[in-house]
C-alpha cells in the first residue's frame, strides 16, 4: 500500500505543478490560483457556523499572540486582517499595549460578527473598529501602523508576496508583522485518502485540496517582502474526529474548504464514501477516531529601523574562529 500511496502523491504533485502553470491571469499578468469571490462566500458561511472557542483556532491565536509578550516595546495601533479575527480579538487580553485595533475581512458577515462580539464583550482600553477590505489591496496609509497581525488568512491570497509587501509598507519604522499560515503538511491524511480513492474509483486525480506553502518558503517570503530580523517556526496540531464527515464540517466552520479556481465542482458519491473508508482504514485509531494534522507556520518580521541589530560587514571580524576553537574546543 505504501508504494501505491507514494505513486499517488507524486502524481498529485505533478498535477498541481502543471495546473499552477496554466492558471488564468488578469491584465497585469498576476497569477490567480484561488477564487477570491468564492472564498468570501465561504467566509460568510463560516461566520454563521463559527464555533465559539474552537480549540484549534484558539491554540493558534494564543501561540501567535504570545510573541507580543516577548517584545519590550508597545504597539499602539494595530491591524488584524482576515483569518481568525474573532479569536485574536477575544484572546488579546492587553498584550502588546494596543490602544487602537482595526479588524479587517473580505466577508461582510464576518465583520458583522466581530462588531457584535465587540459590543457583547468589549476589549478594555482598546478602541476597536471593523472594515470590509481585501488583504491583496490594503486600504491603509503607508507607515501608519505599529503592528499587523494575520492569523490563518494569508494562505488564501493569490499574491502572497505582494500582500506581505503591502503589510510591511503599512508599518511604521520598527513596526512588527505577525503571521500564521497553514503549511504544506496540513491535512496530509485527507490528501492521501482522497488521492487513493480517486485513483481507485475514477482512474485519475484532480486537486481537491488547495496547495499550501512549504516551511522553506516562509523565510524567503519575509526576506522578499523586505522585513528585517525575520523569524519562522512551525507547530503541528493533531485534531481527532469521529469521522471524515466531522472533519469536513469543521473545515467549513473555519472557512478552510477548497477555493481553487480550477477545481472539480462535483464529487461522486462513491468516491466520497471510498475516501472516508480509506481514511478510517489507513489512519483510524483504536478508540474509533481519525486524526487530522494541521501544520501552522508562524512568521515574524520587522520594518527596518536604525535601532535594530545588524550584521557586521564581511571581513570586519577581529577574532578568528580558529582561535576560539583552540581556546574553547580542546586546542585541536
Amino acid at each position: 500500500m505504501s508504494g501505491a500511496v507514494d505513486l499517488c502523491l507524486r502524481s498529485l504533485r505533478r498535477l498541481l505543478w502543471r495546473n499552477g502553470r496554466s492558471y488564468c491571469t488578469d491584465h497585469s499578468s498576476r497569477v490567480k490560483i484561488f477564487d477570491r469571490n468564492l472564498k468570501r462566500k465561504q467566509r460568510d458561511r463560516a461566520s454563521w457556523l463559527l464555533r465559539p472557542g474552537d480549540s484549534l483556532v484558539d491554540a493558534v491565536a494564543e501561540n501567535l499572540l504570545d510573541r507580543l509578550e516577548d517584545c519590550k516595546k508597545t504597539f499602539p495601533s494595530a491591524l488584524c486582517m482576515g483569518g481568525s479575527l474573532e479569536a485574536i480579538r477575544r484572546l488579546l487580553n492587553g498584550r502588546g499595549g494596543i490602544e487602537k485595533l482595526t479588524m479587517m475581512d473580505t466577508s461582510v458577515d464576518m465583520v458583522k460578527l466581530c462588531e457584535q462580539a465587540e459590543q457583547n464583550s468589549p476589549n478594555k482600553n482598546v478602541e476597536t473598529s471593523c472594515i470590509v477590505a481585501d488583504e491583496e489591496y490594503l486600504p491603509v496609509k503607508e507607515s501608519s501602523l505599529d503592528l499587523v497581525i494575520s492569523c490563518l488568512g494569508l494562505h488564501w491570497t493569490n499574491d502572497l508576496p505582494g500582500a506581505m509587501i503591502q503589510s510591511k509598507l503599512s508599518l511604521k519604522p520598527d513596526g512588527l508583522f505577525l503571521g500564521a499560515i497553514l503549511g504544506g503538511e496540513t491535512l496530509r491524511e485527507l490528501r492521501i485518502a482522497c488521492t487513493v480513492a480517486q485513483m481507485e474509483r475514477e482512474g485519475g486525480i484532480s486537486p481537491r485540496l488547495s496547495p499550501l506553502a512549504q516551511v522553506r518558503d516562509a523565510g524567503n517570503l519575509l526576506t522578499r517582502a523586505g522585513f528585517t530580523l525575520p523569524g519562522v517556526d512551525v507547530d503541528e496540531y493533531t485534531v481527532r474526529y469521529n469521522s471524515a464527515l466531522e472533519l469536513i464540517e469543521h473545515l467549513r466552520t473555519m472557512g478552510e474548504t477548497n477555493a481553487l479556481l480550477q477545481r472539480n465542482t462535483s464529487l461522486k458519491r462513491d468516491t466520497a464514501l471510498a475516501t472516508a473508508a480509506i481514511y478510517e482504514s489507513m489512519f483510524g485509531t483504536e478508540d474509533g477516531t481519525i486524526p487530522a494534522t494541521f501544520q501552522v507556520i508562524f512568521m515574524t518580521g520587522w520594518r527596518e529601523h536604525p535601532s535594530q541589530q545588524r550584521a557586521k560587514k564581511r571581513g570586519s571580524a577581529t577574532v578568528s574562529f580558529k582561535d576560539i576553537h583552540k581556546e574553547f574546543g580542546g586546542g585541536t
Side-chain angles (χ1 to χ4, degrees), residues 61-62 64-79 88-89 91-101 123-126 145-149 171-172 174-176 178 302:
E62 277 282 5
L64 188 63
L65 291 173
D66 278 346
R67 285 152 174 76
L68 292 176
E69 298 183 7
D70 299 328
C71 301
K72 294 181 179 179
K73 68 172 292 179
T74 59
F75 306 92
S77 60
L79 169 69
I88 292 291
R89 187 205 66 85
L91 299 172
L92 190 57
N93 296 329
R95 284 179 281 199
I98 295 172
E99 299 171 2
K100 184 177 180 180
L101 176 64
N123 266 326
K124 295 180 180 179
N125 304 319
V126 179
L145 299 168
D146 298 292
L147 173 66
V148 172
I149 302 174
L171 289 170
K172 299 175 183 178
D174 207 30
L176 175 64
L178 290 178
W302 298 81

Side-chain angles (χ1 to χ4, degrees), residues 24-136:
C24 63
T25 59
D26 59 15
H27 295 296
S28 63
S29 298
R30 184 166 59 85
V31 174
K32 288 187 177 181
I33 300 174
F34 302 113
D35 186 337
R36 295 290 290 172
N37 187 51
L38 173 62
K39 180 50 61 179
R40 177 184 56 79
K41 294 177 181 178
Q42 292 175 349
R43 298 281 297 164
D44 284 339
R45 180 178 62 186
S47 70
W48 312 330
L49 302 174
L50 192 66
R51 302 177 182 179
D54 185 306
S55 59
L56 172 62
V57 173
D58 283 4
V60 175
E62 277 282 5
N63 199 336
L64 188 63
L65 291 173
D66 278 346
R67 285 152 174 76
L68 292 176
E69 298 183 7
D70 299 328
C71 301
K72 294 181 179 179
K73 68 172 292 179
T74 59
F75 306 92
S77 60
L79 169 69
C80 181
M81 55 183 187
S84 307
L85 290 174
E86 193 276 333
I88 292 291
R89 187 205 66 85
R90 173 167 42 85
L91 299 172
L92 190 57
N93 296 329
R95 284 179 281 199
I98 295 172
E99 299 171 2
K100 184 177 180 180
L101 176 64
T102 302
M103 313 291 288
M104 188 191 85
D105 202 287
T106 58
S107 163
V108 174
D109 290 341
M110 190 64 74
V111 168
K112 289 180 179 178
L113 177 70
C114 291
E115 290 175 334
Q116 174 134 24
E118 176 62 22
Q119 291 175 0
N120 295 338
S121 57
N123 266 326
K124 295 180 180 179
N125 304 319
V126 179
E127 179 188 345
T128 304
S129 59
C130 300
I131 60 173
V132 178
D134 196 324
E135 298 100 320
E136 295 186 350

Side-chain angles (χ1 to χ4, degrees), residues 312-318:
K312 295 290 185 180
K313 291 183 179 180
R314 187 177 182 89
S316 62
T318 57

